[in-house]
Amino acid sequence: MSTTVATASSGRGRRSSPMSWRWGDRLVLVLAWLAGILLCVLAAAIVLYMGYRGIQYLRPDSIFSRPQLSTDQSGTGGFLDPLLGTLLLTAIGVALALPIGVACAVWMTEYGRPGWLARIVESSIEIVAGTPDIVIAIFGLAVFQVSLLAPFSFTSEGGGVYGRSFIAAGAMMSLLALPPLYAASRDGLLAVPGHMREAAFALGKTRITTIRRVLVPNVRSNIATGVTLGISRIIGSTAIVLILLGGFLRFEPQGSAPAIDLLRGTGSSLTSYIYYNSPAGEGAAPQKAYAAAFVLLIFVLALNLIVERIGRAHASSTGLTTTAGVV
């Protein structure tokens, strides 16, 4: 008995050699390595190719000049309007998705009653997460073409409602940012230890005060991660921009108010600008498309870096970091 226990304890943690595995297990290991290497090669190829093309064609005046219609690449101007349009859509989408996503996560984790309503909310968010961008865009176009929402949409002089505006596009973009923001906030709230809630209740704090003063501050890093992931989905969407902004390269304000006319007007984003100037689009400036794609790639890489830094900071603050060699 003692010999068996000693043998088991001495062999505990000993890693067997892959050469001693069955051939099927070794084949799976080789395929896993090949898949990982292939993904790394593809990611490096995309970054290196777009980086080479972007640096080759990117010029400072491209960032600070507005697009122009021309059959010559030298006369097509830059992509200032699409760049600002991307930032504007991101701001609108995050501003709408942030309170809704955090509020739904708080309600699901801290209340979740009645149960049938909680299941409907959970299923609805999953449906939104799995809905293609083009379907969301068509739905938004149908909604904002209603005469009741005419003040938020581009309208013609005869009163026709087109359903296109930065408000409409930003509202539909918020649906793209909502699922990752909700999921990150919910997971963070579920990970908060129960004794923190109990301590707050023991001090006489109400549930809403506990949520506002204890729980939400403890999941700020999770919320920031969800916002960053939502932004990455917003800036990568093309269908919503093409349908709900009309594919205009320049800003087309609607009305006479200084700020409202821009929100009610149409325009473009970097993704639609890239599509328009690519060989598949109607433009004749593929070099400008490469330059804009390089700028968009920088945004995506920066967002990925921010997510990684937030995750590391959260792990460090919560003591979840591990030391190499510790099981």
Side-chain angles (χ1 to χ4, degrees):
M1 179 69 179
S2 59
T3 304
T4 304
V5 173
T7 303
S9 60
S10 62
R12 185 178 300 169
R14 183 180 300 173
R15 184 173 299 176
S16 61
S17 172
M19 298 304 298
S20 63
W21 297 358
R22 293 179 300 177
W23 69 268
D25 296 336
R26 284 181 284 176
L27 178 61
V28 172
L29 178 62
V30 172
L31 293 177
W33 271 94
L34 291 178
I37 294 174
L38 179 61
L39 288 176
C40 293
V41 170
L42 290 176
I46 293 174
V47 173
L48 293 176
Y49 178 76
M50 298 308 302
Y52 169 75
R53 288 291 193 176
I55 295 175
Q56 183 180 6
Y57 299 125
L58 183 62
R59 299 292 182 270
D61 59 339
S62 299
I63 302 177
F64 299 105
S65 61
R66 305 184 67 185
Q68 304 289 339
L69 294 178
S70 176
T71 56
D72 184 11
Q73 285 200 96
S74 60
T76 56
F79 46 85
L80 177 62
D81 285 13
L83 179 60
L84 296 178
T86 300
L87 298 177
L88 182 58
L89 288 176
T90 301
I92 297 174
V94 171
L96 294 176
L98 179 59
I100 298 176
V102 175
C104 287
V106 169
W107 181 77
M108 287 290 295
T109 56
E110 302 304 315
Y111 297 96
R113 294 290 184 273
W116 61 268
L117 181 59
R119 290 191 294 270
I120 291 177
V121 171
E122 190 81 21
S123 300
S124 300
I125 295 177
E126 293 177 357
I127 291 173
V128 171
T131 304
D133 297 4
I134 186 68
V135 177
I136 295 177
I138 294 175
F139 171 76
L141 186 65
V143 169
F144 282 91
Q145 280 182 338
V146 177
S147 57
L148 182 64
L149 299 179
F152 305 104
S153 176
F154 193 91
T155 57
S156 64
E157 296 182 356
V161 182
Y162 289 99
R164 295 172 174 173
S165 67
F166 274 101
I167 296 177
M172 295 302 104
M173 289 291 190
S174 67
L175 297 180
L176 301 181
L178 180 61
L181 206 160
Y182 163 78
S185 303
R186 179 199 59 194
D187 294 343
L189 290 169
L190 290 175
V192 174
H195 64 79
M196 298 185 66
R197 297 175 175 84
E198 296 172 0
F201 295 152
L203 294 174
K205 302 298 182 181
T206 61
R207 180 178 292 272
I208 190 63
T209 303
T210 302
I211 293 172
R212 185 165 53 91
R213 296 292 183 86
V214 178
L215 299 182
V216 173
N218 274 276
V219 297
R220 284 179 296 184
S221 60
N222 298 83
I223 296 174
T225 301
V227 169
T228 307
L229 294 175
I231 291 174
S232 65
R233 291 206 62 188
I234 290 175
I235 66 175
S237 177
T238 306
I240 294 178
V241 177
L242 291 177
I243 293 179
L244 293 179
L245 288 182
F248 295 99
L249 294 180
R250 297 167 63 100
F251 286 134
E252 298 290 339
Q254 169 75 16
S256 57
I260 302 300
D261 59 347
L262 181 61
L263 296 177
R264 295 180 58 206
T266 58
S268 63
S269 68
L270 284 176
T271 53
S272 62
Y273 179 86
I274 294 169
Y275 169 75
Y276 178 81
N277 288 290
S278 68
E282 299 178 358
Q287 296 179 2
K288 300 294 179 65
Y290 281 120
F294 176 65
V295 174
L296 187 61
L297 181 62
I298 292 177
F299 282 171
V300 174
L301 294 177
L303 289 174
N304 290 333
L305 180 62
I306 291 173
V307 170
E308 182 181 359
R309 294 294 298 271
I310 292 175
R312 289 184 178 181
H314 177 68
S316 178
S317 63
T318 55
L320 297 177
T321 54
T322 58
T323 306
V326 178
V327 180

